[in-house]
Amino acid sequence: MTSQSAPTTVLLDVAAGVATITLNRPEAMNSLDNATKVQLLGALREVADDSAVRCVVITGSGRAFCTGQDLKEHVSLLESGGSDALFTTVDEHYNPIVTAIAEMDKPVVAAVNGVAAGAGASIAMACDLRVVAEGAGFNLAFAGVALSCDTGASIHLPQLVGRAKAMELLYFPRTVPAQEALELGLATAVVPVEDFETEIDALAARLAAGPTVAFGAMRRSVAFAAHHGFAEALAFESEQMTRTGSTHDHRAAVEAFVAKQRPQYEGR
C-alpha cells in the first residue's frame, strides 16, 4: 500500500469480516498530506475488492478523526510555486477517495472519534452511518481558508441536513458538537468515549453478519434515486431486486423464515 521509505499513515486491519481503516497521523490531527491520501485511496480500493470484507469502518488515531487537507504541506506548495498540485489533488485524490467510499458494495461506518473538519467531515458524511464520540464534532472549514467545498460535501451535506442548514454551515464554519450533530442528522449516534470502541465493534459485527449484497444494493439504490427521476429510480430498484433475489443469502433468508429460524448470511 506504500513504499518502504514512506511512513505508514493509514493502517488497515481486517478481522471477522470487518475492515478497519485508521488514519494514523495523530501528531497532525490526521490531516491529509499527499502520501496519506494515496494510502487511504489504496486501502479503500483494497477493501472494496476483498470479498472477505463485509463492513468497512473508517476512523482516526489520537484526538481527531481527520482535519482535512494538511495546511502545512498546502502552504509549502503555495510558497514553492507548486500551486498546480493544490488543485489537481481534488481530481487525483479527493474525488477518487469519496467515490471509492460511495460506490463500494458493502456498508461503510465512520467512527468519528474526534473532530472531523474540511475533507475529514466530507469523508465522514460519505459513509452510511456516523457514530460520534462525545466531545467530537464536525466543522465545514472550507470558507475559513477561502476555498470551496470538496470531497462530496456539496452532495452529502444537503442530503443530511437540508440545503438551508448546509449553506449556513458552509458560509459560517464552526465546530458542530456531537449532540447538535445528532439533532441535525450529521451523526447517527453519539456514544460516551468509554463505550465508543465497544459500540463500534458491535455495530460493525452486526453489519458484517448481514446480507452484504442487499446492503450494497440499498446503498446504490438510495444514491441513484437522489440524482434521477421517479421512473428511473423505480427501474433501478427493480434491477437491484432482481440482482439480490438471485443471491444465496436471499434463498437462505426465505428458508429460515419458513422454518422460523434466524438466517445465517454468507454475504453472497
Side-chain angles (χ1 to χ4, degrees), residues 32 35 53 74 88 107 129 137 145 149 152 175 178 181-182 194 202 213 267-268:
L32 300 167
V53 172
H74 193 85
T88 58
L129 305 171
V145 289
C149 53
T175 298
L182 181 63
E194 61 270 22
V213 179
R268 60 185 180 90

Side-chain angles (χ1 to χ4, degrees), residues 51-249:
S51 60
V53 172
R54 295 171 61 186
C55 174
V56 177
V57 175
I58 303 174
T59 193
S61 59
R63 297 184 297 117
F65 175 77
C66 173
T67 54
Q69 175 66 33
D70 183 332
L71 292 182
K72 289 184 178 179
E73 182 181 72
H74 193 85
V75 168
S76 176
L77 288 169
L78 281 174
E79 292 177 345
S80 66
S83 58
D84 286 350
L86 300 179
F87 304 108
T88 58
T89 192
V90 173
D91 290 330
E92 291 182 5
H93 303 121
Y94 287 124
N95 286 351
I97 284 169
V98 74
T99 298
I101 293 171
E103 293 187 348
M104 68 174 68
D105 278 324
K106 54 198 74 177
V108 187
V109 176
V112 184
N113 56 299
V115 66
S122 299
I123 288 169
M125 291 187 295
C127 299
D128 301 319
L129 305 171
R130 285 154 299 284
V131 179
V132 181
E134 288 181 347
F138 296 85
N139 193 315
L140 281 300
F142 302 102
V145 289
L147 286 174
S148 182
C149 53
D150 62 20
T151 320
S154 65
I155 301 167
H156 297 120
L157 181 60
Q159 289 177 349
L160 292 171
V161 304
R163 184 185 186 280
K165 180 57 71 172
M167 297 311 301
E168 176 192 327
L169 294 175
L170 288 168
Y171 282 172
F172 309 111
R174 62 184 176 87
T175 298
V176 179
Q179 190 58 43
E180 183 182 354
L182 181 63
E183 294 165 1
L184 290 176
L186 279 173
T188 305
V190 175
V191 178
V193 173
E194 61 270 22
D195 299 328
F196 186 68
E197 290 188 12
T198 300
E199 290 289 334
I200 292 296
D201 289 346
L203 175 61
R206 181 179 178 184
L207 289 168
T212 311
V213 179
F215 287 159
M218 291 173 187
R219 299 185 90 229
R220 289 183 177 273
S221 294
V222 170
F224 187 93
H227 304 290
H228 293 81
F230 184 74
E232 293 172 301
L234 289 183
F236 191 82
E237 280 188 349
S238 178
E239 293 174 8
Q240 297 306 305
M241 285 295 287
T242 300
R243 175 188 172 209
T244 55
S246 64
T247 62
H248 173 276
D249 282 348

